[in-house]
Amino acid sequence: MSLTNRILIAMAAGILFGSLLNALLHGLALPVGVRDFIEQGLIGGFFDVLGRIFIASLKLLVVPLVLVSLICGASSLGDSARMGPIALKTLGLYLATTAIAVTVALVFAGIIGPGESMDMAASATFEATPPPPLSDVLVNIFPSNPVRAMAEGEMLQIIVFALLVGYAISHAGEPGRRIAGFFRDFEAVVMKMVEILMALAPYGVFALLVKLFAQMGLGAILDLATYFFTVVAVLLLHAFVVYSLLLRSLAGLSPRKLFSKMRPVWAFAFSTASSGATLPVTLNTVERRMGVHNSVAGFTIPLGATINMDGTAIMQGVATVFIAQVYGIDLSATALVTVILTATLASVGTAAVPGVGLVTLALVLGQAGLPVEGIGLILGVDRLLDMLRTAVNVTGDAVVTLIVAKSEGQFDAEVFEQVGRQESVDPVETSPPTL
Ligand code: ASP
């Protein structure tokens, strides 16, 4: 069976088994010993450990992968004077797609009115942490110590450092060429590690989802059904309609091909709820299966995972309207424009880890003059939405990468058109050693 199918089956099985455990724990009067075994032995023990090991192994690859692939990309572009235009195009598209995402979210939420018939303002509690000053945010992009940046996983700092190294390599003559060869080999090795890990993904994905669904109170969705399904509807609309239109009109590429190749990436994004942890798989997929040259993908994917969060912006747009309606506050035209601007910027500032979109929502609400404690209202359903919006976040990165790569001629149409290339993971070569 193909790896993609195995991952998808593991996903479905994890959701089912987890929900079953949840139903057992909440629906039956189990003997104490059995309950303890399920809660502590299985959910909080076995599946938790397996899931955490899986996420740790994914994260382990992020820093080496971003560093080497960006150095390779920048060094192969450095002397062609395309670095600047590529960076500008990428940034412009990332910001534009996010602004579109919030706008669509605001329009839909305005029409559907998810919070209109609700009166639960009194039950909301949420403490917002004050955001750091803008000057600090800017200064912090530039690393004073690259080793610390890597040790702490500061993605934007690593990007700046890698771009500088890559650019210098391309201008350093013979020594530059020698070291570029080393980084290219290094990149091939790290990519192989990603593929090995992908072969193990069905187990990791299964464990993560069993634990999440066993613990998730899906009952909260019923109370917040209109909010929940408005966010889901806009996420689907953005992923399948807006991205399709953009990909067709700006790159002339088939959205269907993109979606079929994104399936394993979605499974990773959904089960980890982290664009950061999914990054190795996104990068591997756009380079190996979609034919984007490393000179573009090595830059756009790490940057996108860090600053481009269309799904998060959608949640923030719908949440803003929802909270305003619950509190009976009318959003003026100025407030709506403020929401579009701040949600776009908040998406830049949202770290690529689970749940942060909810924290930066405080910023958006604050700017729009809405009560920040309103976030407390939507906490209960946020984890599931986080999983879904992370899948949209990583899709946005892939779409923009394809558009930029196509426009720069850094794209291999043959690889993109190929079907079944996802099975590049050789099960014999990459199967873990039997102990
Ligand atoms: N979990 C999201 C991501 O990593 C961020 C968020 O919306 O909380 O992409």
Side-chain angles (χ1 to χ4, degrees):
M1 193 189 290
S2 76
L3 179 66
T4 303
N5 285 345
R6 281 195 293 138
I7 297 178
L8 294 176
I9 289 176
M11 223 174 115
I15 293 174
L16 263 176
F17 188 51
S19 310
L20 195 78
L21 289 182
N22 186 288
L24 266 181
L25 289 172
H26 290 97
L28 293 180
L30 297 170
V32 179
V34 177
R35 178 173 290 274
D36 281 355
F37 172 72
I38 296 180
E39 274 177 351
Q40 284 152 30
L42 285 183
I43 303 171
F46 182 71
F47 290 116
D48 176 58
V49 169
L50 216 64
R52 285 195 353 227
I53 292 177
F54 178 60
I55 296 216
S57 343
L58 274 171
K59 285 195 186 154
L60 157 87
L61 297 177
V62 172
V63 171
L65 187 60
V66 169
L67 185 76
V68 291
S69 102
L70 201 46
I71 289 179
C72 290
S75 63
S76 63
L77 273 183
D79 44 5
S80 73
R82 294 307 301 160
M83 235 162 149
I86 289 180
L88 276 183
K89 246 189 259 185
T90 309
L91 269 177
L93 279 168
Y94 278 155
L95 293 178
T97 47
T98 310
I100 294 174
V102 206
T103 312
V104 175
L106 288 176
V107 171
F108 265 74
I111 296 171
I112 297 173
E116 253 156 21
S117 56
M118 291 199 169
D119 183 22
M120 32 196 276
S123 63
T125 48
F126 185 83
E127 273 303 315
T129 38
L134 187 63
S135 55
D136 283 7
V137 174
L138 284 177
V139 172
N140 278 340
I141 296 176
F142 298 89
S144 60
N145 180 341
V147 179
R148 193 180 53 216
M150 285 182 243
E152 288 172 2
E154 287 288 347
M155 212 44 71
L156 290 178
Q157 295 192 357
I158 299 172
I159 290 175
V160 169
F161 176 67
L163 282 177
L164 190 61
V165 175
Y167 183 80
I169 284 177
S170 67
H171 286 79
E174 189 45 35
R177 268 187 287 283
R178 279 200 301 270
I179 200 158
F182 162 78
F183 278 114
R184 266 195 296 278
D185 290 350
F186 195 179
E187 203 219 354
V189 173
V190 185
M191 276 295 186
K192 195 77 216 166
M193 288 164 75
V194 177
E195 291 185 359
I196 294 172
L197 203 75
M198 282 178 74
L200 296 175
Y203 308 101
V205 165
F206 179 74
L208 280 176
L209 291 176
V210 169
K211 181 179 172 230
L212 276 168
F213 277 79
Q215 290 179 333
M216 198 144 41
L218 288 177
I221 293 178
L222 292 180
D223 300 334
L224 288 165
T226 334
Y227 165 73
F228 182 86
F229 289 108
T230 309
V231 178
V232 173
V234 185
L235 286 175
L236 292 175
L237 183 83
H238 193 72
F240 291 105
V241 179
V242 176
Y243 287 150
S244 295
L245 289 174
L246 286 174
L247 198 64
R248 261 209 197 287
S249 58
L250 298 182
L253 294 174
S254 148
R256 277 186 54 196
K257 279 264 150 51
L258 166 86
F259 297 139
S260 82
K261 295 187 177 208
M262 280 303 285
R263 283 183 302 161
V265 187
W266 285 337
F268 275 75
F270 182 78
S271 49
T272 62
S274 164
S275 326
T278 311
L279 202 158
V281 186
T282 323
L283 193 57
N284 185 282
T285 305
V286 294
E287 282 188 15
R288 304 280 164 108
R289 296 180 52 206
M290 296 187 190
V292 176
H293 194 276
N294 157 270
S295 55
V296 168
F299 169 67
T300 54
I301 293 292
L303 185 71
T306 316
I307 69 161
N308 181 48
M309 310 228 170
D310 297 356
T312 303
I314 286 170
M315 176 279 284
Q316 295 182 337
V318 178
T320 308
V321 174
F322 173 76
I323 290 169
Q325 287 171 346
V326 171
Y327 282 87
I329 300 169
D330 271 336
L331 285 169
S332 63
T334 332
L336 289 174
V337 175
T338 313
V339 173
I340 296 175
L341 289 178
T342 42
T344 306
L345 292 180
S347 125
V348 174
T350 303
V353 291
V356 183
L358 212 57
V359 176
T360 47
L361 174 61
L363 214 102
V364 181
L365 293 176
Q367 289 298 317
L370 293 171
V372 171
E373 65 271 19
I375 294 176
L377 298 173
I378 53 175
L379 274 176
V381 288
D382 196 64
R383 179 64 200 209
L384 196 54
L385 288 177
D386 194 6
M387 298 159 87
L388 294 168
R389 69 179 179 253
T390 305
V392 175
N393 289 346
V394 295
T395 312
D397 303 341
V399 169
V400 169
T401 297
L402 282 167
I403 295 172
V404 174
K406 181 86 193 301
S407 72
E408 289 291 325
Q410 302 287 326
F411 171 74
D412 186 341
E414 234 171 75
V415 177
F416 185 78
E417 293 302 328
Q418 253 168 37
V419 193
R421 201 176 159 92
Q422 68 267 39
E423 310 327 333
S424 64
V425 180
D426 175 348
V428 177
E429 204 184 317
T430 58
S431 63
T434 31
L435 297 173

